Amino acid sequence: MAEAMADTVPPPVGDVGSRRPVLETIMAQTAALQSMPTDVKITDFHTAADDGTAILLRWYVKEGAAAGPAVLYLHGGG
């Protein structure tokens, strides 16, 4: 992935609108390379950013698992 990104010019700092599609593409490519266990259920939710953009929230649950603690991961990018 680093080689594929080596020739790209990043959007200007603060240009959130241009950075979102780039990050979404990178995240989709990363997800495609990873296998998901068959006993994990994924549920997608969305919330709105200040500018109205839909932000994906993803909930992973192992089938048959009792409710318990959760981990909240927030990416620090644009």
Side-chain angles (χ1 to χ4, degrees):
M1 187 179 316
E3 290 175 11
M5 294 175 55
D7 296 331
T8 62
V9 177
V13 173
D15 186 354
V16 176
S18 295
R19 288 179 175 267
R20 277 191 183 122
V22 172
L23 178 60
E24 289 170 0
T25 300
I26 292 168
M27 297 302 284
Q29 290 173 349
T30 302
L33 296 173
Q34 300 178 26
S35 61
M36 179 61 64
T38 58
D39 62 346
V40 173
K41 180 182 174 189
I42 301 171
T43 305
D44 288 346
F45 301 92
H46 292 86
T47 190
D50 288 344
D51 65 1
T53 301
I55 304 294
L56 173 65
L57 306 172
R58 184 163 282 161
W59 186 255
Y60 297 90
V61 177
K62 184 171 180 163
E63 290 180 12
V71 173
L72 179 61
Y73 173 75
L74 301 172
H75 186 275

